[in-house]
Protein backbone atom coordinates (compact mmCIF):
# COMPACT_ATOMS: atom_id res chain seq x y z
CA UNK A 1 0.00 0.00 0.00
CA UNK A 2 1.48 3.30 -1.13
CA UNK A 3 1.47 6.29 1.12
CA UNK A 4 1.72 9.93 0.25
CA UNK A 5 4.86 11.88 1.09
CA UNK A 6 4.24 15.13 2.91
CA UNK A 7 5.71 18.43 1.75
CA UNK A 8 7.70 18.56 4.97
CA UNK A 9 9.36 15.22 4.21
CA UNK A 10 10.26 16.41 0.70
CA UNK A 11 11.79 19.59 2.05
CA UNK A 12 13.83 17.59 4.55
CA UNK A 13 15.63 15.91 1.65
CA UNK A 14 19.15 17.33 1.51
CA UNK A 15 19.64 15.80 -1.91
CA UNK A 16 16.78 17.87 -3.31
CA UNK A 17 18.16 21.11 -1.91
CA UNK A 18 21.69 20.38 -3.10
CA UNK A 19 20.45 19.43 -6.58
CA UNK A 20 18.37 22.59 -6.97
CA UNK A 21 21.23 24.68 -5.59
CA UNK A 22 23.63 23.14 -8.10
CA UNK A 23 21.22 23.85 -10.95
CA UNK A 24 20.71 27.44 -9.78
CA UNK A 25 24.48 28.00 -9.94
CA UNK A 26 25.32 26.17 -13.17
CA UNK A 27 22.51 27.43 -15.43
CA UNK A 28 23.24 31.17 -15.03
CA UNK A 29 26.94 30.55 -15.68
CA UNK A 30 26.13 28.72 -18.93
CA UNK A 31 23.45 31.24 -19.93
CA UNK A 32 23.82 34.60 -18.11
CA UNK A 33 20.43 36.03 -17.15
CA UNK A 34 21.57 39.63 -16.90
CA UNK A 35 19.83 40.32 -13.60
CA UNK A 36 20.15 44.11 -13.22
CA UNK A 37 22.82 45.33 -10.83
CA UNK A 38 23.70 48.86 -9.73
CA UNK A 39 26.95 50.26 -11.11
CA UNK A 40 29.16 51.67 -8.36
CA UNK A 41 30.56 55.18 -8.57
CA UNK A 42 34.10 53.75 -8.59
CA UNK A 43 33.46 51.54 -11.62
CA UNK A 44 31.63 54.34 -13.47
CA UNK A 45 34.57 56.68 -12.79
CA UNK A 46 36.96 54.24 -14.50
CA UNK A 47 34.62 53.93 -17.47
CA UNK A 48 34.27 57.71 -17.73
CA UNK A 49 38.04 58.20 -17.56
CA UNK A 50 38.58 55.95 -20.57
CA UNK A 51 35.65 57.52 -22.42
CA UNK A 52 36.84 61.08 -21.84
CA UNK A 53 40.62 60.76 -22.00
CA UNK A 54 41.51 58.09 -24.56
CA UNK A 55 41.21 58.89 -28.25
CA UNK A 56 41.25 56.61 -31.31
CA UNK A 57 44.78 55.44 -32.00
CA UNK A 58 45.89 55.80 -28.37
CA UNK A 59 48.27 53.26 -26.85
CA UNK A 60 47.70 51.23 -23.68
CA UNK A 61 50.06 48.90 -21.86
CA UNK A 62 48.28 46.04 -20.08
CA UNK A 63 50.04 44.02 -17.35
CA UNK A 64 48.51 40.54 -16.89
CA UNK A 65 49.67 39.28 -13.50
CA UNK A 66 47.28 36.74 -12.01
CA UNK A 67 47.13 32.97 -11.79
CA UNK A 68 44.39 30.67 -13.06
CA UNK A 69 42.80 30.52 -9.59
CA UNK A 70 42.15 34.28 -9.77
CA UNK A 71 40.48 34.24 -13.20
CA UNK A 72 36.98 34.38 -11.76
CA UNK A 73 37.63 37.76 -10.17
CA UNK A 74 40.02 39.43 -12.59
CA UNK A 75 39.29 38.08 -16.06
CA UNK A 76 35.86 39.79 -16.31
CA UNK A 77 37.62 43.12 -15.69
CA UNK A 78 40.35 42.37 -18.24
CA UNK A 79 37.89 41.33 -20.95
CA UNK A 80 35.52 44.24 -20.37
CA UNK A 81 38.39 46.75 -20.35
CA UNK A 82 39.82 45.20 -23.52
CA UNK A 83 36.47 45.53 -25.27
CA UNK A 84 36.12 49.14 -24.16
CA UNK A 85 39.63 49.98 -25.37
CA UNK A 86 39.13 48.28 -28.73
CA UNK A 87 35.78 50.02 -29.16
CA UNK A 88 37.55 53.33 -28.53
CA UNK A 89 40.08 52.50 -31.23
CA UNK A 90 42.98 52.01 -28.81
CA UNK A 91 45.96 49.76 -29.47
CA UNK A 92 47.09 47.45 -26.68
CA UNK A 93 50.46 45.99 -25.72
CA UNK A 94 50.01 43.12 -23.25
CA UNK A 95 52.81 41.80 -21.11
CA UNK A 96 53.35 39.82 -17.93
CA UNK A 97 55.96 39.93 -15.20
CA UNK A 98 54.73 36.47 -14.13
CA UNK A 99 55.27 33.17 -15.93
CA UNK A 100 51.64 32.17 -15.38
CA UNK A 101 50.53 35.31 -17.19
CA UNK A 102 51.10 33.52 -20.49
CA UNK A 103 48.56 30.85 -19.56
CA UNK A 104 45.83 33.19 -18.36
CA UNK A 105 46.25 35.49 -21.36
CA UNK A 106 45.64 32.61 -23.77
CA UNK A 107 42.66 31.44 -21.70
CA UNK A 108 41.29 34.98 -21.72
CA UNK A 109 41.62 35.21 -25.50
CA UNK A 110 39.77 31.92 -25.88
CA UNK A 111 36.97 33.05 -23.55
CA UNK A 112 36.70 36.42 -25.27
CA UNK A 113 37.22 35.35 -28.89
CA UNK A 114 34.46 37.74 -29.98
CA UNK A 115 36.29 40.70 -28.45
CA UNK A 116 39.46 39.95 -30.45
CA UNK A 117 37.56 39.09 -33.62
CA UNK A 118 38.50 41.50 -36.39
CA UNK A 119 41.56 42.76 -34.49
CA UNK A 120 44.86 42.23 -36.26
CA UNK A 121 47.72 40.88 -34.22
CA UNK A 122 50.81 43.03 -34.48
CA UNK A 123 48.81 46.05 -35.53
CA UNK A 124 45.94 46.35 -33.03
CA UNK A 125 47.49 44.38 -30.18
CA UNK A 126 50.68 42.58 -29.20
CA UNK A 127 51.47 40.12 -26.43
CA UNK A 128 55.07 40.34 -25.23
CA UNK A 129 54.68 37.23 -23.11
CA UNK A 130 56.58 36.60 -19.90
CA UNK A 131 59.21 39.20 -19.07
CA UNK A 132 61.42 37.88 -16.26
CA UNK A 133 62.94 40.11 -13.61
CA UNK A 134 60.14 41.47 -11.42
CA UNK A 135 60.55 45.16 -10.61
CA UNK A 136 63.82 45.38 -12.53
CA UNK A 137 61.98 44.16 -15.63
CA UNK A 138 59.24 46.74 -15.08
CA UNK A 139 61.87 49.47 -14.90
CA UNK A 140 63.60 48.19 -18.03
CA UNK A 141 60.32 48.06 -19.99
CA UNK A 142 59.59 51.64 -18.99
CA UNK A 143 62.94 52.74 -20.46
CA UNK A 144 62.72 50.64 -23.63
CA UNK A 145 60.58 47.66 -24.55
CA UNK A 146 62.77 46.90 -27.57
CA UNK A 147 65.82 47.05 -25.34
CA UNK A 148 64.23 44.56 -22.94
CA UNK A 149 62.36 42.12 -25.19
CA UNK A 150 63.64 40.92 -28.56
CA UNK A 151 60.75 38.62 -29.54
CA UNK A 152 57.09 38.47 -28.53
CA UNK A 153 55.33 35.47 -26.98
CA UNK A 154 54.98 33.84 -30.41
CA UNK A 155 58.55 34.29 -31.57
CA UNK A 156 58.00 37.36 -33.74
CA UNK A 157 60.78 39.94 -33.78
CA UNK A 158 59.55 42.99 -31.85
CA UNK A 159 60.88 45.48 -34.40
CA UNK A 160 58.90 43.76 -37.17
CA UNK A 161 55.52 44.35 -35.51
CA UNK A 162 53.80 47.53 -36.76
CA UNK A 163 52.43 48.43 -33.32
CA UNK A 164 55.86 48.16 -31.72
CA UNK A 165 57.18 50.67 -34.25
CA UNK A 166 54.81 53.21 -32.66
CA UNK A 167 55.71 52.61 -29.00
CA UNK A 168 58.82 51.73 -27.05
CA UNK A 169 58.99 53.52 -23.68
CA UNK A 170 56.63 54.45 -20.85
CA UNK A 171 55.87 57.94 -22.13
CA UNK A 172 54.63 56.48 -25.43
CA UNK A 173 51.58 55.07 -23.61
CA UNK A 174 48.44 57.00 -22.71
CA UNK A 175 47.46 54.54 -19.96
CA UNK A 176 48.90 51.53 -18.14
CA UNK A 177 46.50 48.93 -16.72
CA UNK A 178 47.66 46.45 -14.09
CA UNK A 179 45.44 43.42 -13.44
CA UNK A 180 47.11 41.59 -10.58
CA UNK A 181 46.37 39.09 -7.83
CA UNK A 182 49.35 40.31 -5.80
CA UNK A 183 50.13 43.65 -4.18
CA UNK A 184 53.77 43.97 -5.23
CA UNK A 185 52.99 44.37 -8.92
CA UNK A 186 51.06 47.59 -8.35
CA UNK A 187 54.00 48.99 -6.38
CA UNK A 188 56.36 48.09 -9.23
CA UNK A 189 54.42 50.22 -11.69
CA UNK A 190 53.90 53.09 -9.26
CA UNK A 191 57.64 53.26 -8.61
CA UNK A 192 58.91 52.53 -12.12
CA UNK A 193 56.25 53.96 -14.45
CA UNK A 194 54.23 56.59 -12.59
CA UNK A 195 56.84 58.26 -10.36
CA UNK A 196 59.59 58.83 -12.97
CA UNK A 197 57.39 59.20 -16.08
CA UNK A 198 53.98 60.29 -14.74
CA UNK A 199 52.15 57.69 -16.85
CA UNK A 200 48.48 57.25 -15.75
CA UNK A 201 47.89 53.92 -14.02
CA UNK A 202 44.66 51.97 -13.64
CA UNK A 203 44.29 49.03 -11.24
CA UNK A 204 42.20 45.85 -11.41
CA UNK A 205 42.59 43.97 -8.13
CA UNK A 206 41.21 41.09 -6.09
CA UNK A 207 38.71 42.15 -3.43
CA UNK A 208 40.94 40.80 -0.66
CA UNK A 209 43.95 42.94 -1.61
CA UNK A 210 42.13 46.13 -2.64
CA UNK A 211 42.47 47.79 0.80
CA UNK A 212 46.25 47.40 0.71
CA UNK A 213 46.59 49.29 -2.59
CA UNK A 214 43.85 51.83 -1.88
CA UNK A 215 46.46 54.40 -0.71
CA UNK A 216 47.85 54.60 -4.26
CA UNK A 217 44.44 55.56 -5.57
CA UNK A 218 43.86 57.99 -2.72
CA UNK A 219 47.21 59.64 -3.44
CA UNK A 220 46.22 60.01 -7.13
CA UNK A 221 49.05 57.70 -8.18
CA UNK A 222 46.38 55.72 -10.02
CA UNK A 223 43.38 57.14 -11.87
CA UNK A 224 41.07 54.46 -10.48
CA UNK A 225 40.59 50.84 -9.49
CA UNK A 226 38.23 48.01 -10.39
CA UNK A 227 37.73 45.66 -7.45
CA UNK A 228 36.87 42.01 -7.85
CA UNK A 229 34.19 40.11 -9.68
CA UNK A 230 31.45 42.61 -8.90
CA UNK A 231 33.33 45.41 -10.68
CA UNK A 232 33.81 43.10 -13.66
CA UNK A 233 30.06 42.50 -13.86
CA UNK A 234 29.38 46.23 -13.58
CA UNK A 235 31.86 47.01 -16.35
CA UNK A 236 30.35 44.32 -18.55
CA UNK A 237 27.04 46.11 -18.16
CA UNK A 238 28.60 49.43 -19.17
CA UNK A 239 30.29 48.05 -22.30
CA UNK A 240 27.28 45.94 -23.30
CA UNK A 241 28.89 42.51 -23.19
CA UNK A 242 27.71 40.08 -20.54
CA UNK A 243 30.39 37.58 -19.63
CA UNK A 244 31.85 35.67 -16.71
CA UNK A 245 31.38 38.57 -14.29
CA UNK A 246 27.64 38.93 -14.86
CA UNK A 247 27.20 35.15 -15.04
CA UNK A 248 28.82 34.82 -11.62
CA UNK A 249 26.63 37.56 -10.16
CA UNK A 250 23.57 35.85 -11.64
CA UNK A 251 24.65 32.54 -10.08
CA UNK A 252 25.02 34.17 -6.69
CA UNK A 253 21.64 35.89 -6.98
CA UNK A 254 19.73 32.77 -8.06
CA UNK A 255 21.35 30.56 -5.41
CA UNK A 256 20.65 33.13 -2.68
CA UNK A 257 17.03 33.45 -3.83
CA UNK A 258 16.63 29.66 -3.78
CA UNK A 259 17.94 29.48 -0.21
CA UNK A 260 15.56 32.26 0.85
CA UNK A 261 12.64 30.44 -0.78
CA UNK A 262 13.48 27.25 1.11
CA UNK A 263 13.76 29.19 4.37
CA UNK A 264 10.32 30.71 3.84
CA UNK A 265 8.73 27.40 2.82
CA UNK A 266 10.42 25.60 5.71
CA UNK A 267 9.03 28.10 8.20
CA UNK A 268 5.55 27.86 6.69
CA UNK A 269 5.61 24.06 6.92
CA UNK A 270 7.00 24.15 10.47
CA UNK A 271 4.34 26.52 11.81
CA UNK A 272 1.59 24.68 9.90
CA UNK A 273 2.62 21.43 11.59
CA UNK A 274 2.71 23.10 15.02
CA UNK A 275 -0.77 24.55 14.53
CA UNK A 276 -2.08 21.18 13.35
CA UNK A 277 -0.51 19.49 16.37
CA UNK A 278 -2.18 21.95 18.77
CA UNK A 279 -5.56 21.44 17.14
CA UNK A 280 -5.12 17.71 17.54
CA UNK A 281 -4.40 18.10 21.25
CA UNK A 282 -0.61 17.77 21.05
CA UNK A 283 1.81 19.92 23.03
Amino acid sequence: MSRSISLGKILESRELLYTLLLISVILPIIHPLGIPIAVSARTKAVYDYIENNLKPGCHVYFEIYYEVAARGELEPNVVALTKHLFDKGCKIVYGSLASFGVIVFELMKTTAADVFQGREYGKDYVFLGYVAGGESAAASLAKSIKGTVSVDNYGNRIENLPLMQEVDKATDFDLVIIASSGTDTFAYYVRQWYTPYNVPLLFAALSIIAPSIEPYVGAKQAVGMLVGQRAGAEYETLVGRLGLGMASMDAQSTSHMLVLVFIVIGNVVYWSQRLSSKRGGGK
Side-chain angles (χ1 to χ4, degrees), residues 24 29 32 40 47 155 158 161 182 192 207 220 239 250 259-260 264:
S24 71
I29 291 178
S40 67
Y47 178 87
I158 291 294
L161 299 172
Q192 304 302 334
S207 301
K220 305 300 181 184
V239 300
D250 285 343
V259 171
L260 288 174
V264 171

Side-chain angles (χ1 to χ4, degrees), residues 121-134:
Y121 184 82
K123 181 179 179 181
D124 299 314
Y125 72 100
V126 165
F127 180 42
L128 301 178
Y130 171 46
V131 184

Side-chain angles (χ1 to χ4, degrees), residues 149-166:
V149 180
S150 58
V151 295
D152 69 2
N153 188 62
Y154 310 107
N156 302 303
R157 297 292 302 179
I158 291 294
E159 64 269 18
N160 294 335
L161 299 172
L163 174 53
M164 300 311 299
Q165 295 172 10
E166 301 174 13

Side-chain angles (χ1 to χ4, degrees), residues 42-223:
R42 163 164 276 176
T43 300
K44 186 61 164 58
V46 171
Y47 178 87
D48 289 342
Y49 180 88
I50 292 177
E51 277 291 298
N52 299 329
N53 293 277
L54 299 187
K55 308 300 181 185
C58 71
H59 300 98
V60 177
Y61 189 85
F62 211 135
E63 169 67 35
I64 306 294
Y65 195 107
Y66 59 91
E67 54 279 277
V68 174
R71 284 184 68 204
E73 277 205 71
L74 292 178
E75 187 173 289
N77 292 289
V78 173
V79 172
L81 284 167
T82 295
K83 174 174 170 51
H84 194 188
L85 294 171
F86 279 155
D87 288 347
K88 290 287 292 181
C90 299
K91 301 178 181 182
I92 310 173
V93 176
Y94 296 92
S96 180
L97 297 178
S99 58
F100 44 74
V102 175
I103 299 173
V104 295
F105 177 80
E106 295 300 335
L107 288 172
M108 184 271 292
K109 272 193 66 180
T110 301
T111 303
D114 58 304
V115 174
F116 286 87
Q117 187 175 9
R119 309 295 173 180
E120 184 180 345
Y121 184 82
K123 181 179 179 181
D124 299 314
Y125 72 100
V126 165
F127 180 42
L128 301 178
Y130 171 46
V131 184
E135 185 168 0
S136 297
S140 182
L141 288 169
K143 291 179 182 178
S144 173
I145 294 176
K146 297 184 184 73
T148 306
V149 180
S150 58
V151 295
D152 69 2
N153 188 62
Y154 310 107
N156 302 303
R157 297 292 302 179
I158 291 294
E159 64 269 18
N160 294 335
L161 299 172
L163 174 53
M164 300 311 299
Q165 295 172 10
E166 301 174 13
V167 294
D168 182 47
K169 56 188 181 301
T171 51
D172 294 332
F173 292 94
D174 301 282
L175 179 66
V176 175
I177 302 175
I178 304 99
S180 175
S181 56
T183 57
D184 290 345
T185 321
F186 300 104
Y188 295 166
Y189 280 89
V190 169
R191 289 193 290 258
Q192 304 302 334
W193 286 63
Y194 174 79
T195 301
Y197 303 106
N198 200 34
V199 181
L201 305 181
L202 171 62
F203 297 162
L206 296 176
S207 301
I208 195 171
I209 69 171
S212 64
I213 60 174
E214 183 69 43
Y216 296 132
V217 181
K220 305 300 181 184
Q221 293 171 307
V223 299

